[in-house]
Amino acid sequence: MTIIKEIRGVAIQRFMPSGMDLTAWLDNIEAKRHRAVIRFQKDNPYDSTCMVMSVDDVDVCYVNSDDKRFVKPFIEQSGCEECMADFLEVYRPENGTPILRYTVVVDLDDVEKIVPGEEWSNWDYTGPLLLSIGKINNAEHYYNSIKKAILGGTDGICDATARLIDEFVEATLIDMSIETTKLYDDLLFLLETRQRNAWREYINMLQHASTVRRTDNRRKAFIDNWWPEFLEGEAVNRLS
């Protein structure tokens, strides 16, 4: 089974050739209707995760930040570190900036081959514990259980999966590691590549939880109170 994922190109004006107006630039892209190549813009000094779309070896736009997570594993797994996208349309809203719309075709049989996660399983962290050992182990257990439910298709849509997500959120609420953020991204990636409407409730739950991790009061209390106290504490002073 295959699905088509829309990838949006933004900030088009930044790539316009000198002396060409926006309408002519968009007309030129639309007339070609050529495939685009998506790749990391490795020389970007402000964002190491930045992605650009190129048509006929000419950069034409940035990839929308919300779409980068979907494309990233395809780029990393390709031998040439790029991903192909098919032209869909040039979207010209009455108000606001134009958007280039391309699509990436995904074969669901290949999804499991490109889902990251081994780094978390093999990570040997020796620093100060932000959560108890039980919570850390539970977080990985919940992640694996939720992933198994998702891969089970519509049979995984049940109250038990919702409870697992709630418990996963509770176990990771103040975990600031990049690895835990990747767990969220992995689960959302799997959900996005399934039947979107059927899993919508679970996508919303995880997206909301991912936001809460950055704004929750307990997390704020940890950053504002516990962490400064720890840095000024005796254990850290002995290392100075």
Side-chain angles (χ1 to χ4, degrees):
M1 176 181 175
T2 59
I3 64 167
I4 298 176
K5 168 71 175 179
E6 178 184 329
I7 306 298
R8 294 156 293 178
V10 296
I12 301 165
Q13 294 92 324
R14 298 186 186 182
F15 295 87
M16 284 194 304
S18 177
M20 181 178 286
D21 65 29
L22 180 59
T23 299
W25 179 232
L26 295 175
D27 288 345
N28 180 54
I29 296 171
E30 192 169 35
K32 291 180 178 178
R33 303 182 67 88
H34 289 178
R35 301 187 81 190
V37 173
I38 303 176
R39 59 175 175 77
F40 285 109
Q41 191 180 46
K42 296 182 178 179
D43 58 349
N44 189 303
Y46 305 106
D47 182 3
S48 61
T49 69
C50 180
M51 294 179 187
V52 292
M53 286 187 189
S54 300
V55 178
D56 294 339
D57 297 323
V58 176
D59 293 342
V60 296
C61 60
Y62 290 113
V63 174
N64 180 279
S65 58
D66 292 337
D67 297 331
K68 290 193 297 185
R69 182 185 71 246
F70 185 90
V71 181
K72 181 175 181 287
F74 294 100
I75 294 177
E76 292 177 341
Q77 289 294 322
S78 69
C80 51
E81 297 187 346
E82 61 185 34
C83 175
M84 302 300 296
D86 296 315
F87 179 83
L88 183 60
E89 72 166 352
V90 175
Y91 175 61
R92 296 178 172 90
E94 292 185 6
N95 298 304
T97 58
I99 298 172
L100 297 186
R101 297 177 63 208
Y102 282 77
T103 57
V104 173
V105 178
V106 182
D107 187 341
L108 289 185
D109 293 335
D110 293 334
V111 167
E112 271 201 89
K113 300 176 185 177
I114 61 174
V115 174
E118 289 300 318
E119 295 90 344
W120 171 255
S121 300
N122 298 327
W123 186 41
D124 184 17
Y125 177 65
T126 58
L129 293 177
L130 307 185
L131 296 171
S132 69
I133 290 295
K135 284 287 188 181
I136 292 173
N137 290 337
N138 283 341
E140 187 175 356
H141 166 74
Y142 295 137
Y143 162 78
N144 289 327
S145 299
I146 296 167
K147 178 180 175 181
K148 182 177 179 180
I150 295 171
L151 295 177
T154 54
D155 290 341
I157 303 176
C158 60
D159 291 341
T161 303
R163 287 195 299 273
L164 284 170
I165 292 176
D166 285 338
E167 291 166 353
F168 171 72
V169 169
E170 179 64 25
T172 58
L173 197 56
I174 62 170
D175 185 341
M176 295 182 289
S177 67
I178 295 174
E179 288 77 11
T180 296
T181 300
K182 281 173 63 65
L183 294 186
Y184 276 88
D185 287 347
D186 291 355
L187 292 177
L188 283 166
F189 174 82
L190 278 177
L191 287 169
E192 290 280 3
T193 55
R194 265 52 189 172
Q195 297 177 7
R196 188 184 183 96
N197 290 336
W199 289 97
R200 170 49 55 193
E201 178 183 354
Y202 298 88
I203 293 173
N204 290 342
M205 289 171 65
L206 280 168
Q207 286 178 335
H208 175 69
S210 182
T211 301
V212 167
R213 287 177 63 235
R214 297 189 293 270
T215 58
D216 184 81
N217 288 336
R218 279 180 286 180
R219 179 181 174 82
K220 188 175 186 300
F222 174 87
I223 296 172
D224 292 346
N225 300 319
W226 188 91
W227 187 244
E229 291 178 8
F230 171 78
L231 292 177
E232 296 174 2
E234 182 179 349
V236 173
N237 289 333
R238 285 201 302 267
L239 299 175
S240 301

